[in-house]
Amino acid sequence: MQRILNLLRRSSNPQLGPLEQQLLSLLWTRGNATVREILDAGDIKLAYTTVMTTLDRLFKKQLLNRIAEGRAFRYSPRYTQEELEKAAVGETIRQLLGSGATAALPLSYLVEAVSEHDARLLDDLQRLLDQKRRDLRSELRSKEK
């Protein structure tokens, strides 16, 4: 997970473009594919070179793995969708907390947004906070021994 966070921090724009998102989503569904296989599936109606360039960019952003297969490459996601989303959300929250405003302000926005979305999520948030406090106390006790 730390590797993903480092990638997101290094990138000047960790956002993915629409085509990058579409191709990454397609690869999460398929598992792996070549440019030709993606185009032959018929979901994307673009030039071969456009898809190839976009997959190469995702590879250079370290979001895809690739292996040579004849004269082409077979691409596969380096991370699951959940791993990438978790890292992106975590990085966004870290940036908010480190924005210079008091940390309580972004936290109050989070609590407000959660309660507007679904008040029951506040109970989930409380459970997570309680568990984290227990974990931190346990770690402290382990270090003191």
Side-chain angles (χ1 to χ4, degrees):
M1 185 58 62
Q2 192 60 42
R3 254 186 355 207
I4 302 171
L5 290 173
N6 290 338
L7 287 172
L8 292 172
R9 284 187 192 115
R10 274 199 312 256
S11 173
S12 59
N13 182 7
Q15 302 292 323
L16 297 176
L19 181 56
E20 289 175 319
Q21 290 175 21
Q22 185 180 8
L23 288 171
L24 195 51
S25 179
L26 198 148
L27 287 170
W28 279 323
T29 301
R30 290 181 62 107
N32 64 70
T34 64
V35 174
R36 179 56 46 213
E37 289 170 347
I38 290 170
L39 292 172
D40 287 350
D43 297 327
I44 295 177
K45 305 276 191 247
L46 295 169
Y48 184 98
T49 53
T50 302
V51 175
M52 181 180 67
T53 299
T54 305
L55 290 174
D56 184 59
R57 285 188 184 141
L58 288 168
F59 171 76
K60 288 177 179 172
K61 289 180 180 183
Q62 299 181 4
L63 296 174
L64 296 180
N65 293 316
R66 72 179 180 194
I67 55 172
E69 191 171 287
R71 294 176 47 201
F73 288 109
R74 178 166 296 280
Y75 292 91
S76 61
R78 186 170 283 192
Y79 307 103
T80 66
Q81 184 173 3
E82 182 179 285
E83 288 172 327
L84 199 57
E85 287 173 355
K86 183 178 179 183
V89 168
E91 182 57 24
T92 299
I93 291 170
R94 271 186 277 294
Q95 288 175 0
L96 281 172
L97 292 174
S99 67
T102 63
L105 188 59
L107 289 177
S108 68
Y109 292 148
L110 174 64
V111 170
E112 189 63 33
V114 166
S115 62
E116 286 176 7
H117 178 73
D118 184 347
R120 291 174 298 190
L121 288 175
L122 288 173
D123 294 332
D124 294 339
L125 183 58
Q126 185 63 51
R127 277 191 291 281
L128 290 168
L129 287 169
D130 293 343
Q131 181 60 49
K132 190 61 172 179
R133 281 191 184 105
R134 284 190 295 275
D135 293 347
L136 290 172
R137 285 185 197 118
S138 177
E139 286 176 27
L140 262 174
R141 280 187 236 121
S142 295
K143 289 180 182 178
E144 291 174 353
K145 292 180 183 180

